[in-house]
Amino acid sequence: MSIKLKDDSSSEDEESTLVTVSKHKKSSKKITKSVKRESSDEDDDILHAARKKQKRLKKDLKDTKTRNSHENGKSSHKTKKKTSKTIKKESENIDDEDKTLADVASQSQLSSSTKASSVDIKESSEDFKWWENNDKEDDSIKWTTLRHNGVIFPPEYQPLPSHVKLYYDGKPVDLPPQAEEVAGFFAAMLETDHVKLPIFQKNFMHDFLEVLKENGGTRNNVEIKDFEKLDFTKIAEYFQVQKEQKKQLSPQEKKQLKLEKEEFEKPYKFCEIDGRIEQVGNFRIEPPGLFRGRGAHPKNGKLKRRVYPEDVVLNLDKNAPIPEPPKGHKWGEIRHDNTVQWLSMWRENITNSFKYVRFAANSTLKGISDFKKFEKARMLKDHIDKVRADYKAKLKSPKTLDRQMAVATYLIDVFALRAGGEKSEDEADTVGCCSLRYEHVTLKPPNTVIFDFLGKDSIRYYQEVEVDAQVFKNLKIFKRPPSGPGHQLFDRLDPSILNKHLQNYMPGLTAKVFRTYNASKTMQDQLDLIPNEGTVAEKMLRYNAANRTVAILCNHQRTVTKGHATSVQKATERIEELEWQKVRYKRAILQLDKSERKKDPNYFKEIDDLSKEEELTIHKRIIEREREKYKRKFERENEKRKFDKEEALPDSQLMEWLAKVDDLEKQYQRESDTGIIEVRESLKNVEKLKQQVERLEKRITNASLQLKDKEDNSTVALGTSKINYIDPRLSVAFCKKFDVPIEKVFTKTLREKFRWAIESADENWRF
DNA sequence: ATCAATACTTAGCACCATGGAG
DNA sequence: CTCCATGGTGCTAAGTATTGAT
């Protein structure tokens, strides 16, 4: 069998015929099923046809849903249920149809495989609501049937055109394609910071020379020795040009390419598990390239080699047809392991570990795991008091192991530290709780601790915090000589010892559960503080603030975007200018009616607060910006005209524009000299001016709020906690309770991932 | 019991589509 | 309507935890 998800257009006629036929056929589902089990040869085709059917149904379902939610808004709950019921009924009939379909489909050209298979198609994946059955069956078996079409391999290497070459010591180098590819990897990264790292250059050079040697060395007898003498710029320029060309394609061409790509990927994007069609996550084999480790990774710059079908293991059910490997190749291994949830795997050459092709985040298995994770964290609620009381008591235990265990648990619980497993020499030096060393913790009496270490992804954890007095004492003991820099703080501990101990409190309790628990608990507490008032935007601001609290707890960071500093400066200047404009209008008011000042002196106070110098700076800035604006406009317009083969704008046009700016500059100058504001006729009215001031004030508060939010968020990543730590049902309950559309909180992909939460939690749900 | 291998979750970053401001 | 910033998504590295072998 090969699972084929034909696009609707190509098979529409056929389908509609089938639908009509099937409408007259009404047989019981059970019978159909049993017949299907016995059937053999045609099953592929049955499956295939049914797939299409499912797809059509899914589409219908979607359409109906969309329509419902549009028409009925939030009150569509009942309608939805009804809709899906109707559809379920219809989908039961699918099985009937399939029977009928079999002959038709097997004769059609749709299916290429003749392998035997038997699969019950129970439901379309969108109908399957695993969270509505709470049967706690054995979860070591992940599936009974699993079939898929394998993986997509990266395209073969396309050698560079002969005029594009690597240069060594000024001389062009003829490289064998294998080595040229590696040189190309480096060239493509020339603009990144990575290539500046000495370790990156060294590792690259080593692997590059190795590949070169493997393939017979350079072909024009250039001997490459020094990295310094390599010149990649010609290759980099070539890539740049190619990129530009791609950008230049017409929108239609782009669309066409995208469509073709999607069409090609379709068969790999979906798989079939227990009769349901579900999405595959990463169905593409990782392309070769230069390893980009995070932080000071000793293997940075090494060549990540190309993966061939021979390196790849496929996991399918025993009866599943084996996908065709790429021409001239064989699969490394075919496995039938239903205790795991990967579809395919291969070994990667940098760290010698496995890479897996797995289900997408919206899949049943991932959903169940996710659900279980949060349920486990919720279960900790019932044990946390005991755990805390225990570690508090054990802080004074006479046994060092117990004390270490108590302190470690405290740190994991209170500061949400990770477990901190041991790492080998050829990885970046990062730590978590158990692997903390002497130098990562500084003690400041009476009870302040400064944590400073690199955690996962080499993200710095820096916190100056007050801790429990006994924790402080213990840390002091752990740091006593002979301990010193380089020594483990918890020398008797590692995650497996700690976790084993934690299991005593609750089955399945491990260090990471505390992170989930505390993150979700914090979110719940923060959400509880939000009053149900104000606009959706205001509520979202609060929600994000709550989210941020969690992200900070978990130390989820992001690097500030390259434009951040400038964009903050711009926003600040913008606010200053708005303030100035406001003052200007207020002056104009006084010009019209001096008595206004007596009526409300406070209102006009800020006029005096603005110094002459400040004002002049603002003038200059505005004028400067206006000039730039017109110059840019002029250039851009001419570029466009050149491209369209039109006549360029005359310089006089630019002069004309700039003259306008000159006028403005003069006006500001006059206003500054005389103190008389020149507002336009329509604004020579106290009421109108006051309105303007009010509008400006609104804009200022808005801009200031946005700026503050931007600043607060610049180094904090909210996404990670939203995706991994905060029980999605909290967000769902928040939305339902506060009348916030779920789209504001979860993106489309997150809504799919968290469908179980969206459909199971109501406004009263609590973590 | 211990260690290595395997499997699965969590993480930040690059890229690009999109939508709001001008 | 255009432009640019921003958020969403894909990618894959880097963790944690469990399983399996000795």
Side-chain angles (χ1 to χ4, degrees):
Chain A
M1 182 214 70
S2 83
I3 300 164
K4 285 198 180 153
L5 291 135
K6 272 263 180 168
D7 77 323
D8 292 323
S9 58
S10 67
S11 53
E12 213 151 63
D13 288 352
E14 189 189 323
E15 275 194 24
S16 51
T17 322
L18 296 168
V19 173
T20 329
V21 171
S22 73
K23 270 185 185 150
H24 301 285
K25 283 236 172 189
K26 300 254 157 132
S27 63
S28 110
K29 193 180 179 182
K30 262 187 186 164
I31 293 174
T32 316
K33 269 192 180 173
S34 63
V35 170
K36 278 184 66 176
R37 280 211 184 83
E38 288 154 24
S39 72
S40 53
D41 284 351
E42 293 137 357
D43 268 295
D44 293 332
D45 310 314
I46 294 175
L47 245 180
H48 174 218
R51 278 300 76 73
K52 292 194 303 179
K53 192 88 328 189
Q54 275 195 357
K55 242 196 100 209
R56 185 181 56 79
L57 267 171
K58 272 194 258 178
K59 199 171 157 263
D60 289 352
L61 180 61
K62 229 184 244 164
D63 292 346
T64 324
K65 271 191 183 164
T66 328
R67 233 177 293 128
N68 278 340
S69 59
H70 275 261
E71 282 166 14
N72 309 341
K74 58 191 170 166
S75 67
S76 69
H77 214 71
K78 276 183 186 169
T79 328
K80 258 189 205 164
K81 267 219 169 109
K82 206 172 142 199
T83 313
S84 74
K85 232 183 196 169
T86 324
I87 289 184
K88 219 171 217 160
K89 238 190 211 160
E90 202 186 327
S91 70
E92 278 170 18
N93 289 340
I94 291 175
D95 290 30
D96 308 343
E97 290 170 20
D98 289 341
K99 203 68 219 95
T100 331
L101 288 178
D103 318 276
V104 187
S106 63
Q107 276 153 32
S108 73
Q109 75 291 42
L110 297 176
S111 175
S112 55
S113 168
T114 54
K115 280 257 168 90
S117 65
S118 83
V119 174
D120 290 338
I121 298 149
K122 289 171 195 145
E123 343 187 33
S124 87
S125 55
E126 294 193 12
D127 251 0
F128 184 56
K129 303 189 177 190
W130 52 265
W131 57 93
E132 287 181 358
N133 319 314
N134 38 359
D135 52 337
K136 295 192 176 78
E137 52 187 291
D138 178 14
D139 63 358
S140 69
I141 303 297
K142 315 284 183 179
W143 44 263
T144 43
T145 72
L146 175 65
R147 32 197 71 191
H148 56 86
N149 289 321
V151 292
I152 297 181
F153 287 89
E156 270 177 53
Y157 178 61
Q158 303 291 329
L160 299 170
S162 55
H163 65 277
V164 182
K165 281 191 171 23
L166 173 72
Y167 285 75
Y168 183 75
D169 207 9
K171 294 187 284 284
V173 187
D174 264 342
L175 292 169
Q178 293 87 340
E180 186 188 85
E181 181 179 27
V182 181
F185 293 150
F186 195 93
M189 294 175 71
L190 227 44
E191 294 301 312
T192 69
D193 291 337
H194 276 282
V195 297
K196 294 181 188 121
L197 297 171
I199 187 73
F200 192 97
Q201 298 176 356
K202 182 175 155 270
N203 284 331
F204 159 77
M205 201 55 185
H206 177 271
D207 288 1
F208 173 59
L209 290 179
E210 193 175 82
V211 172
L212 189 58
K213 201 171 158 196
E214 273 169 25
N215 291 281
T218 64
R219 292 176 176 180
N220 57 347
N221 292 320
V222 177
E223 203 193 342
I224 296 177
K225 273 187 183 160
D226 296 337
F227 171 81
E228 304 300 330
K229 292 180 179 162
L230 289 172
D231 177 5
F232 298 89
T233 49
K234 287 288 182 296
I235 304 179
E237 279 165 22
Y238 172 72
F239 289 156
Q240 195 57 40
V241 170
Q242 292 237 302
K243 217 169 156 188
E244 291 298 323
Q245 280 175 352
K246 222 177 225 170
K247 241 193 230 163
Q248 293 301 324
L249 290 176
S250 74
Q252 296 101 314
E253 285 173 307
K254 279 187 196 161
K255 212 167 233 170
Q256 181 63 26
L257 252 83
K258 201 179 154 193
L259 226 68
E260 279 166 20
K261 190 170 165 240
E262 269 171 22
E263 199 56 34
F264 172 72
E265 290 175 352
K266 224 174 189 175
Y268 305 94
K269 211 171 179 172
F270 299 88
C271 67
E272 194 213 286
I273 169 172
D274 292 350
R276 300 182 307 272
I277 296 292
E278 299 216 6
Q279 269 175 274
V280 182
N282 52 332
F283 44 84
R284 241 185 295 270
I285 296 282
E286 290 175 15
L290 302 180
F291 180 73
R292 304 152 92 116
R294 315 267 167 84
H297 199 296
K299 295 199 171 177
N300 251 331
K302 280 183 70 63
L303 173 64
K304 187 164 83 169
R305 288 185 176 263
R306 184 174 285 270
V307 175
Y308 294 96
E310 285 72 10
D311 308 317
V312 174
V313 182
L314 297 185
N315 194 28
L316 313 120
D317 73 62
K318 284 205 174 89
N319 297 319
I322 293 159
E324 200 65 31
K327 274 226 163 61
H329 287 281
K330 284 188 244 166
W331 296 116
E333 187 190 334
I334 302 295
R335 221 178 274 182
H336 310 289
D337 185 353
N338 69 355
T339 66
V340 294
Q341 33 178 317
W342 51 265
L343 315 189
S344 172
M345 77 169 194
W346 72 92
R347 197 184 280 278
E348 158 258 8
N349 71 301
I350 301 288
T351 55
N352 209 243
S353 58
F354 291 130
K355 299 281 188 163
Y356 298 89
V357 171
R358 343 178 97 269
F359 292 100
N362 60 15
S363 64
T364 302
L365 283 174
K366 286 266 197 188
I368 291 174
S369 306
D370 220 23
F371 171 76
K372 281 186 178 157
K373 173 183 75 185
F374 288 114
E375 285 305 293
K376 193 193 269 177
R378 288 178 85 202
M379 211 202 292
L380 181 51
K381 277 193 306 183
D382 302 332
H383 304 276
I384 191 76
D385 290 343
K386 172 94 171 83
V387 173
R388 285 175 178 163
D390 239 40
Y391 70 61
K392 264 185 200 128
K394 286 203 175 140
L395 285 172
K396 294 186 180 173
S397 165
K399 284 158 79 183
T400 304
L401 176 64
D402 282 355
R403 284 203 186 204
Q404 293 199 351
M405 205 109 79
V407 173
T409 315
Y410 174 91
L411 297 183
I412 285 169
D413 183 27
V414 177
F415 302 111
L417 299 192
R418 295 187 184 82
E422 203 190 351
K423 294 191 77 184
S424 79
E425 203 70 352
D426 52 10
E427 293 176 273
D429 177 20
T430 63
V431 298
C433 183
C434 293
S435 48
L436 279 171
R437 297 195 301 268
Y438 179 93
E439 62 269 29
H440 297 135
V441 172
T442 308
L443 303 177
K444 210 160 104 185
N447 65 337
T448 300
V449 177
I450 301 166
F451 292 100
D452 191 355
F453 60 87
L454 296 183
K456 182 178 178 180
D457 291 306
S458 294
I459 295 294
R460 188 179 181 198
Y461 184 93
Y462 182 91
Q463 293 276 309
E464 194 168 333
V465 289
E466 295 195 354
V467 300
D468 177 280
Q470 191 59 39
V471 169
F472 191 86
K473 273 186 202 163
N474 283 338
L475 287 173
K476 208 162 156 189
I477 294 170
F478 302 156
K479 287 193 75 176
R480 252 188 340 221
S483 183
H487 280 69
Q488 295 273 306
L489 199 59
F490 301 108
D491 58 356
R492 317 265 167 108
L493 220 50
D494 68 35
S496 78
I497 295 170
L498 184 64
N499 284 338
K500 206 161 278 167
H501 172 247
L502 291 174
Q503 314 274 325
N504 295 331
Y505 298 98
M506 188 188 110
L509 184 59
T510 61
K512 84 191 262 287
V513 180
F514 284 85
R515 258 168 93 81
T516 315
Y517 166 77
N518 280 311
S520 287
K521 176 72 166 60
T522 303
M523 190 66 177
Q524 174 78 264
D525 293 347
Q526 291 293 310
L527 289 179
D528 284 346
L529 297 175
I530 301 179
N532 195 354
E533 61 186 35
T535 63
V536 168
E538 282 164 341
K539 290 178 198 168
M540 274 312 293
L541 222 61
R542 305 248 175 152
Y543 173 90
N544 285 333
N547 192 164
R548 187 153 60 230
T549 316
V550 178
I552 289 167
L553 172 73
C554 296
N555 201 39
H556 290 144
Q557 300 192 0
R558 57 175 187 165
T559 50
V560 286
T561 51
K562 46 178 156 31
H564 178 71
T566 20
S567 106
V568 166
Q569 197 194 349
K570 240 186 193 166
T572 315
E573 288 178 356
R574 207 87 190 130
I575 292 168
E576 277 174 19
E577 283 157 28
L578 291 171
E579 299 273 13
W580 166 77
Q581 195 63 252
K582 195 171 73 176
V583 166
R584 193 165 160 263
Y585 283 144
K586 287 189 176 178
R587 281 181 183 149
I589 293 173
L590 290 183
Q591 259 165 235
L592 290 171
D593 185 355
K594 281 209 174 84
S595 71
E596 287 284 335
R597 185 149 204 161
K598 288 245 164 61
K599 281 192 236 160
D600 189 356
N602 240 350
Y603 185 81
F604 296 99
K605 192 175 169 293
E606 63 180 317
I607 295 181
D608 311 319
D609 292 345
L610 184 69
S611 77
K612 199 91 188 170
E613 296 88 68
E614 284 173 314
E615 192 168 6
L616 285 176
T617 318
I618 292 170
H619 283 180
K620 237 191 212 158
R621 223 159 53 203
I622 296 176
I623 296 299
E624 195 57 37
R625 201 169 50 224
E626 285 292 299
R627 289 215 172 100
E628 284 305 313
K629 196 174 93 186
Y630 282 120
K631 277 182 199 162
R632 266 217 316 272
K633 185 177 170 183
F634 184 75
E635 276 170 27
R636 205 174 296 148
E637 178 66 23
N638 272 344
E639 219 148 271
K640 198 171 126 196
R641 287 179 179 228
K642 199 172 162 189
F643 187 79
D644 295 342
K645 302 228 159 70
E646 284 176 40
E647 212 176 318
L649 286 171
D651 285 357
S652 61
Q653 175 69 68
L654 178 60
M655 292 303 158
E656 197 181 301
W657 285 338
L658 291 180
K660 273 206 287 193
V661 183
D662 290 343
D663 286 347
L664 189 66
E665 188 178 26
K666 277 177 201 145
Q667 184 197 329
Y668 285 171
Q669 190 58 51
R670 281 196 304 276
E671 287 188 3
S672 177
D673 291 344
T674 64
I676 298 166
I677 307 302
E678 305 172 20
V679 292
R680 59 175 191 271
E681 259 340 284
S682 60
L683 274 180
K684 290 194 173 162
N685 168 323
V686 173
E687 277 316 303
K688 284 247 169 79
L689 281 168
K690 282 193 172 174
Q691 271 175 23
Q692 287 297 321
V693 169
E694 207 172 304
R695 280 175 59 184
L696 280 169
E697 240 144 34
K698 253 190 195 148
R699 280 180 68 183
I700 290 167
T701 16
N702 252 336
S704 306
L705 259 177
Q706 271 179 22
L707 181 61
K708 188 183 175 302
D709 212 46
K710 191 186 217 161
E711 282 284 68
D712 289 350
N713 258 346
S714 64
T715 59
V716 183
L718 300 189
T720 310
S721 51
K722 191 187 273 190
I723 293 167
N724 299 301
Y725 289 102
I726 297 168
D727 193 312
R729 290 168 293 188
L730 282 168
S731 303
V732 172
F734 167 83
C735 284
K736 290 187 176 164
K737 194 164 163 192
F738 288 23
D739 251 333
V740 173
I742 195 79
E743 295 79 30
K744 294 277 175 201
V745 171
F746 292 147
T747 63
K748 186 166 83 60
T749 26
L750 276 190
R751 290 198 296 279
E752 281 163 16
K753 166 173 167 145
F754 293 139
R755 192 162 78 100
W756 59 271
I758 294 173
E759 294 188 21
S760 68
D762 66 14
E763 73 273 17
N764 297 316
W765 191 89
R766 295 190 65 78
F767 177 72

